[in-house]
């Protein structure tokens, strides 16, 4: 049942992400991705608080947190993990995690593209 909830939620999240990305924009800033990431972070914050209040079952938590939010944007999970580190007093670890995640992920795109281009 858990896998089904995650799968259905992930499909819905991915479709919502696509719909936002399909909105035409005539600016150089990636507005759609920015909006998706911010909305995903807000949504996962809401889900975590609702789950903490025991207002939903574990399956529904997985549906929203891993499925919808994960399919919509993994940035929401990254944001929650960074928040959790800060909340536990690990501010420097959170800062390192955030900076390294962003920088190394961008470097990873360069590496991945370079691998394909070199082949």
């Amino acid at each position: 049942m858990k896998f089904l909830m995650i799968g259905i939620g992930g499909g819905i999240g991915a479709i919502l992400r696509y719909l936002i990305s399909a909105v035409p924009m005539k600016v150089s800033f990636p507005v759609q991705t920015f909006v998706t990431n911010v909305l995903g972070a807000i949504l996962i914050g809401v889900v975590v608080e609702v789950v903490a209040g025991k207002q939903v079952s574990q399956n529904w938590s997985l549906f929203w947190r891993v499925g919808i939010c994960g399919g919509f944007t993994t940035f929401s999970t990254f944001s929650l993990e960074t928040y959790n580190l800060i909340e536990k007093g690990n501010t420097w670890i959170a800062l390192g995690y955030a900076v390294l995640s962003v920088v190394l992920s961008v470097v990873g795109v360069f590496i991945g593209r370079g691998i394909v281009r070199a082949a």
Side-chain angles (χ1 to χ4, degrees), residues 77-95:
T77 302
F78 162 76
S79 301
L80 177 62
E81 290 169 345
T82 304
Y83 169 86
N84 286 339
L85 287 167
I86 293 168
E87 190 175 55
K88 291 177 183 172
N90 297 317
T91 306
W92 288 108
I93 294 172
L95 181 62

Side-chain angles (χ1 to χ4, degrees), residues 2-117:
K2 292 176 186 178
F3 293 112
L4 181 63
M5 297 297 279
I6 293 167
I8 292 170
I12 293 168
I15 291 168
L16 292 172
R17 176 182 174 144
Y18 172 76
L19 291 174
I20 290 174
S21 72
V23 174
M25 294 282 170
K26 296 186 184 211
V27 295
S28 58
F29 184 79
V31 175
Q32 298 96 326
T33 301
F34 180 78
V35 167
T36 299
N37 289 337
V38 172
L39 288 176
I42 292 168
L43 180 58
I44 205 167
V46 168
V47 171
V48 167
E49 280 302 306
V50 169
V51 170
K54 306 287 187 220
Q55 297 171 11
V56 297
S57 69
Q58 182 186 18
N59 284 340
W60 281 109
S61 171
L62 291 170
F63 172 81
W64 283 100
R65 190 173 43 84
V66 179
I68 297 279
C69 291
F72 192 57
T73 171
T74 58
F75 195 81
S76 58
T77 302
F78 162 76
S79 301
L80 177 62
E81 290 169 345
T82 304
Y83 169 86
N84 286 339
L85 287 167
I86 293 168
E87 190 175 55
K88 291 177 183 172
N90 297 317
T91 306
W92 288 108
I93 294 172
L95 181 62
Y97 174 62
V99 170
L100 285 172
S101 292
V102 171
V103 170
L104 293 178
S105 292
V106 172
V107 169
V109 171
F110 278 98
I111 291 170
R113 292 189 74 174
I115 290 168
V116 172
R117 290 177 180 173

